[in-house]
Amino acid sequence: MTEAAPCRIPPLRPQFAGAAVLLAFLAGAAGAQPVESSFNLYGVPGLVDMPTAEVAPDGTLSTTIAHFGGTTRTTLRFQITPRLSGAFRYSSIEDFYPPGPPPWTEPRYYDRSFDLRYQILTEGRYRPSVVVGLQDFIGTGLYGGEYVVATKAVTPAVRLTGGLGWGRLGSRNPFGSLGDRPSELLGEGGLPTYDRWFRGDIAAFGGIAWSPTDRLTLSAEYSSDDYVQERRDGTFRGSSPWNFGLDYRFENGTQLSLYHLYGEEIGAQVTLHFNPRTAGTPGGLEAGPVPVAVRPPGAAERLGWITDSRTAAQARQELAQAMARDALVLEALQLEPRRATVRLRNPTYGAPSQAIGRTARAMTRALPDSVEEFVIVPVEKGMPLARVALSRSDLERLENDAAVEMLARTRIADAWRAAPPPDPGLYPRFAWSIGPYLQLSVFDPDNPVRADIGARVEADYRIRPGLILSGSVTKKAGGNLDSVTRQGTSGLPYVRTELRQYSIQADPAIEHLTLAHYGRPGRDLYSRVTAGYLEKMYAGVSGEVLWKPVDSRLALGAELNYVQPRDFDQLFGLRSRQTPGGEIPTVNGHLSAYYDFGNGFHGQLDMGRYLAGDWGATVSLDREFANGWRVGAYATVTDVPFDDFGEGSFDKGIRITIPLSSISNTPSRASNTVRIQSLTRDGGARLNVRDRLYETVRDYHGPEMAKTWGRFWR
């Protein structure tokens, strides 16, 4: 039989500036969260150009676009923990030419910078809030500065701020010094500027903020930033250290600001806030679940049905129909006098516990009264992922009580050899989807944003459980990726910097065409073998094995790939491995470790050989929320010298995963990941094979399922 899948939107990779538009949309669609503190021109809690010691609510994701005097700053900021926050800023300055290499010739200078802030003291009755901050601590150093700042509310409407700054924030009227501080800009950027932190001249800054209403704030500050670099190029004419601002916050938290700066300039900004932590659980418009059917007294002892061959068939039919009403698929039912085992496929619910709960409710209504133990085995890509055992009596007694009690009585174990085989007729099956695609290249100094857009058709043919033939084809509607320029070479083979040729020649293009096998080779073990056109640039074979106990926070994996570069037209041909930078190796792979640190923090370490033959490691850290949102970052360092790597020094990026159900408010397992990453380089490049095991497996294991167990009765 065949099956038509609903159209899903494939992952998009929009440019950094587009994050502001994205957050604006999400604020309206999913509900923005008010933030009481004002944000400054750097996109962090502050007065006008100076920081304060205020913090945003835990989990707040903020985007600021600010402009004054030929300078535009776009900042994405995330409150990582209640005290720790990080920010990524992309700035452009007109007619600015920094000294030293590279030889800047463009009329506009683009700069990337990263910030970290930590609140070392919270505000008390007599104690101010105190924050220590590193501004542009990974970058060229143009905005480099450190500060310690204190803020205290002296009345409900008035807040005072005072602080000490180094670097940029110590450049106006310094009153002391803590040793020499390097002043040159780093041409490639991307490296921690630890040799400058809290060194050099020290200057004071401060100000006052008055909020006559909960929407309006007036502020005045004394700035300790003399804009030395900008004055040198004549792009800054400030004649006064005083700045004045007016902030207006709308009900949803959006901040609009107007400023008078340094006696000469007028500035403006908009800040958008969204908090995935408090955005609510996706879904809500789906039909409610059926009630648990409570057995009459003594019914559990009736076993007469086991002599009637029609009972099992009728129970299977009724259960399949009940599950289908909840958009769940019964792949098999193994019925015994006291136990029933269900093979479950969940194409609908992003919260696995919701699929488990609805299946259990349906089982109480369809199965004979003597069946006391319900065993539910969810499968993904044909792999049984967990054995979830529940007591029917507990379901009857605890319905709609606190889900935590049900979780305490639920037994989750490994599903190896626990799932009955699927019923005849379920395989093979076919699914397809159509939607838009957007491919980006960002942070090219000649043009910060380049993109191709078009349409994508995807299809899956599931031959049998665990054996999947899949592919996708794109047709470009327009774009300018064919004008991407390569900024120098690292001396490595060109494994990713041929992007321009793929954009010029690949239309239409086969993005991938693969045959993949997923399996369970042993207890706690999972496997994947994928062969074919693995991604847009490479064909070959990719194999992976994962060790992941169902109750463990730790997982270990290994991947080995044998690849050949594809022709630039992205059809069926292959091309030579020889490139101007050298020969592309055929073999690459990694050893990986995954760990759930708790409180939503997930870490990943990948160590091995990358596409260009360089050896190194990638460290990733994501904060994940029970409703499916994720915010994270990664960094890759290999044996390629930073100077040879090129602009940015090493590969790094930020990613935000958005569950589509939070926008549609209906159940969905689909999501989009927004990636903000540096210009594509050859160093630290990894194969983009689809559906790696860890993300496929872990949602149905104990630690992850417990996080969404509040949806069990929904």
Side-chain angles (χ1 to χ4, degrees), residues 548-549 551-555 594-599 694 703 707:
K548 174 66 172 72
D551 58 351
S552 174
R553 294 178 180 270
L554 174 69
Y594 313 84
Y595 193 77
D596 179 353
F597 291 98
N599 297 320
Y694 182 67
K707 296 175 185 178

Side-chain angles (χ1 to χ4, degrees), residues 172 226 231 236-241 261-265:
R172 183 190 296 272
D226 202 29
R231 285 185 188 276
F236 182 82
R237 302 181 304 276
S239 59
S240 169
L261 296 143
Y262 300 101
E264 302 281 343
E265 301 286 354

Side-chain angles (χ1 to χ4, degrees), residues 1-3 5 8 331 343 345-347 379-383 422 425-432 459-471 514-516 518 669 690-691 696:
M1 62 182 294
T2 61
E3 175 181 297
R8 66 179 185 271
E331 288 203 344
R343 181 186 177 105
R345 179 161 56 87
N346 169 29
V379 296
E380 182 68 29
K381 301 189 184 304
M383 297 183 296
L426 289 178
Y427 292 87
R429 57 188 176 88
F430 177 77
W432 70 280
D460 289 341
Y461 185 64
R462 307 201 173 218
I463 302 168
R464 61 180 179 82
L467 188 61
I468 305 170
L469 178 65
S470 65
T514 59
L515 180 66
Y518 296 84
R669 299 191 65 193
R690 292 159 47 91
D691 298 324
T696 302

